C-alpha cells in the first residue's frame, strides 16, 4: 500500500486514548534469580515475618467456598477496622490493595486539563493514575528527600484537583509531622482532595506522627489510604482500605467494582487485625533491624536518609564499579534482590527492605565485600 492509499477497515487497529501510551508501566521488584534456589527478596517492602498464622488459617478455611462471591461491601472487614482503629465503619471503603484507591480517587476527581500534584520522589502510581485519566501529573521539589509543604502549596494552581502525599514516603522513608500535614491541608483550596497514603503507618513510632485520621474527621476533602501488604504481610491477597469523609466514601462506593476484595483476602485481613500480638512482634522486629541495618550501611560509607518505614534508601557513589547499578548486580549474583531507584529520579540509590535478621546480616556483609570494606 502506498502512503496515499487509505488503509482498509480490516487493517485498522483500536487506538488508545491520547496520553495512555505515554505512561511508563509500573514494574514491581524482581522475585526470582535464575539458578538460585534460595532468593533473599528485599525489593518490595514485604513484611519480614510473613503473615500472622491466624491469617493463614483464615485464608485456608475459605478454600471450600471459592465458588461463592465475596461480600461486596466487606462488612466484616470494615467492622474489624472500625473496632481496631476507633473509626466509623460507614466511612471505610475497602479495596483490592491501596493502588485501587489511588486509581479510583483519580478517576473520580481528575480528568483532561486537570493537575494531580505530588512530591518529587513520590510513589510511581500517582503519575500513572493521573495520566490514565488524561490529567497532568505535577511534582513539587523536596528538601533533603523529604516532602516540602511550602513547595507543594506553591505548586497548586486553579487546575489542581488532587494532592497525594505518602506519609511515610516510599522510597525515601522520610515523613511529615501531624502539624506539617495540618498546615498543608489548611493551605489547600477546599475543593482539592488531599490523599494521605499511609501504607507504612504501622511502623512509625515518632510521637509527632499521625496517619491522617484526625484530618479526615474534621474535613470534607481528605482521604487516608492504608494497606494490608506491609506490616500485615498480605501483599499476595491485595487488600487495602480508605477512611474518608461521607461524601468521598459515597463517590468511591459508586465507582469501585462490586466484588473488589476477594473473600479469602477479607477473612485473612480480619484475622490479621485480631492478631495484635503478631503485628506488635512484626513492628518490634523492624524496630530492631531497621537501625541495625542503617548503622551497618552507614559504616560502609553509604549515605542514608533517616527511615521510619520497613526499608532503607542507600545512596552509592558514582565511581566506576561502586555505583548503585553495580551494587544491584553484585547482590543479585548472590541471590539478593533489592530495588533500583532510577524510575524515582534516584539513579544512585537502592531501596532495601528490612528482612529477617539473617537476611540483613547477609546483605551488609555482601555490600562490605562489594565496597572493599571487609
Amino acid at each position: 500500500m502506498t502512503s496515499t492509499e487509505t488503509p482498509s477497515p480490516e487493517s485498522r487497529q483500536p487506538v488508545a486514548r491520547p496520553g495512555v501510551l505515554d505512561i511508563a508501566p509500573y514494574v514491581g521488584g524482581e522475585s526470582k534469580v535464575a539458578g538460585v534456589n534460595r532468593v533473599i527478596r528485599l525489593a518490595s517492602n514485604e513484611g519480614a515475618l510473613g503473615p500472622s498464622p491466624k491469617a493463614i488459617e483464615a485464608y485456608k478455611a475459605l478454600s471450600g467456598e471459592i465458588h461463592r462471591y465475596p461480600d461486596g461491601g466487606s462488612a466484616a472487614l470494615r467492622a474489624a477496622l472500625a473496632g481496631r482503629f476507633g473509626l466509623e465503619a460507614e466511612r471505610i471503603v475497602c479495596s483490592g490493595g491501596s493502588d485501587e484507591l489511588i486509581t479510583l480517587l483519580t478517576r473520580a476527581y481528575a480528568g483532561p486539563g486537570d493537575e494531580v500534584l505530588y512530591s518529587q520522589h513520590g510513589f510511581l502510581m500517582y503519575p500513572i493514575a493521573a495520566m490514565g485519566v488524561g490529567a497532568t501529573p505535577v511534582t513539587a521539589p523536596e528538601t533533603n528527600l523529604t516532602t516540602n509543604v511550602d513547595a507543594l502549596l506553591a505548586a497548586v494552581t486553579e487546575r489542581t484537583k488532587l494532592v497525594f502525599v505518602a506519609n511515610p514516603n516510599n522510597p525515601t522513608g522520610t515523613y511529615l509531622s501531624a502539624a506539617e500535614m495540618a498546615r498543608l491541608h489548611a493551605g489547600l483550596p477546599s475543593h482539592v482532595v488531599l490523599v494521605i497514603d499511609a501504607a507504612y503507618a504501622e511502623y512509625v513510632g515518632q510521637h509527632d506522627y499521625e496517619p491522617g485520621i484526625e484530618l479526615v474527621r474534621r474535613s470534607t476533602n481528605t482521604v487516608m489510604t492504608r494497606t494490608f501488604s506491609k506490616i500485615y504481610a498480605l501483599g499476595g491477597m491485595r487488600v487495602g482500605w480508605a477512611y474518608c469523609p461521607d461524601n468521598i466514601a459515597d463517590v468511591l462506593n459508586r465507582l469501585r467494582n462490586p466484588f473488589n476484595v476477594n473473600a479469602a483476602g477479607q477473612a485473612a485481613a480480619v484475622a490479621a487485625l485480631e492478631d495484635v500480638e503478631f503485628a506488635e512482634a512484626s513492628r518490634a522486629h523492624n524496630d530492631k533491624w531497621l537501625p541495625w541495618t542503617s548503622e551497618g550501611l552507614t559504616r560502609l560509607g553509604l549515605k542514608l536518609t533517616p527511615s521510619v518505614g520497613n526499608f532503607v534508601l542507600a545512596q552509592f557513589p558514582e565511581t566506576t564499579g561502586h555505583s548503585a547499578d553495580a551494587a544491584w548486580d553484585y547482590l543479585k549474583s548472590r541471590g539478593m534482590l533489592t530495588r533500583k531507584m532510577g524510575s524515582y529520579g534516584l539513579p544512585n540509590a537502592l531501596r532495601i527492605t528490612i528482612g529477617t535478621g539473617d537476611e540483613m546480616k547477609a546483605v551488609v556483609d555482601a555490600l562490605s565485600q562489594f565496597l572493599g570494606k571487609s
Side-chain angles (χ1 to χ4, degrees):
M1 182 179 68
T2 67
S3 59
T4 59
E5 292 178 339
T6 302
S8 66
E10 293 77 11
S11 67
R12 295 175 184 171
Q13 295 182 358
V15 177
R17 188 175 47 73
V20 171
L21 294 181
D22 295 329
I23 298 172
Y26 183 87
V27 179
E30 294 192 29
S31 59
K32 297 179 181 179
V33 179
V36 177
N37 292 326
R38 180 180 179 268
V39 177
I40 296 177
R41 296 173 55 169
L42 305 174
S44 300
N45 300 343
E46 296 155 333
L49 303 185
S52 156
K54 294 180 180 179
I56 294 173
E57 287 304 312
Y59 166 75
K60 290 179 178 178
L62 264 293
S63 62
E65 298 293 323
I66 59 175
H67 61 301
R68 302 296 186 190
Y69 280 98
D71 171 14
S74 302
L77 177 54
R78 289 189 296 109
L81 286 163
R84 177 72 178 83
F85 297 106
L87 309 176
E88 305 80 25
E90 64 274 12
R91 297 175 67 177
I92 296 171
V93 178
C94 294
S95 61
S98 56
D99 295 346
E100 182 189 14
L101 293 164
I102 293 168
T103 301
L104 290 175
L105 286 162
T106 309
R107 281 178 57 199
Y109 294 101
D114 296 330
E115 294 176 347
V116 174
L117 178 62
Y118 62 102
S119 192
Q120 180 181 5
H121 301 298
F123 186 35
L124 291 179
M125 279 302 301
Y126 307 150
I128 288 175
M131 296 174 73
V133 299
T136 301
V138 177
T139 62
E142 296 179 354
T143 301
N144 298 323
L145 296 181
T146 302
T147 301
N148 184 311
V149 169
D150 292 316
L152 281 172
L153 291 175
V156 173
T157 72
E158 62 181 12
R159 296 196 297 167
T160 304
K161 294 297 187 291
L162 294 107
V163 177
F164 284 99
V165 177
N167 197 32
N169 187 52
N170 168 29
T172 63
T174 54
Y175 79 102
L176 291 182
S177 68
E180 279 294 273
M181 288 301 301
R183 187 166 74 86
L184 171 61
H185 178 262
L188 292 175
S190 59
H191 68 276
V192 173
V193 180
L194 173 61
V195 183
I196 304 172
D197 181 351
Y200 299 91
E202 289 87 355
Y203 290 109
V204 186
Q206 278 68 12
H207 296 302
D208 61 347
Y209 174 79
E210 202 279 320
I213 292 172
E214 296 308 315
L215 274 179
V216 174
R217 281 204 169 119
R218 63 175 186 260
S219 73
T220 58
N221 66 332
T222 306
V223 178
M224 176 191 70
T225 65
R226 303 280 282 270
T227 182
F228 281 87
S229 296
K230 305 307 175 184
I231 201 166
Y232 295 112
L234 295 176
M237 302 306 300
R238 311 307 304 127
V239 184
W241 61 284
Y243 181 54
C244 321
D246 292 333
N247 54 304
I248 295 181
D250 177 56
V251 169
L252 291 177
N253 279 320
R254 292 171 187 269
L255 274 182
R256 67 175 177 82
N257 289 330
F259 303 103
N260 60 334
V261 185
N262 69 79
Q266 292 183 41
V270 169
L273 285 171
E274 293 173 347
D275 197 349
V276 176
E277 184 178 351
F278 189 86
E280 288 300 320
S282 297
R283 176 170 168 169
H285 174 88
N286 197 67
D287 287 345
K288 175 181 178 179
W289 289 102
L290 174 64
W292 185 94
T293 304
S294 300
E295 291 164 9
L297 296 178
T298 300
R299 283 197 302 270
L300 297 179
L302 300 176
K303 182 181 178 181
L304 274 70
T305 53
S307 174
V308 296
N310 68 329
F311 56 89
V312 295
L313 182 73
Q315 298 188 58
F316 288 76
E318 296 184 46
T319 53
T320 302
H322 285 166
S323 66
D325 283 348
W328 188 88
D329 290 337
Y330 185 90
L331 292 172
K332 183 178 179 180
S333 71
R334 285 153 179 77
M336 304 175 195
L337 292 173
T338 57
R339 187 71 182 270
K340 292 182 181 182
M341 290 287 105
S343 57
Y344 284 90
L346 298 165
N348 299 318
L350 294 180
R351 192 190 67 197
I352 305 172
T353 304
I354 301 303
T356 66
D358 287 344
E359 289 172 341
M360 303 326 295
K361 291 177 182 178
V363 168
V364 172
D365 286 347
L367 287 176
S368 177
Q369 296 169 22
F370 168 75
L371 294 168
K373 303 290 186 176
S374 59

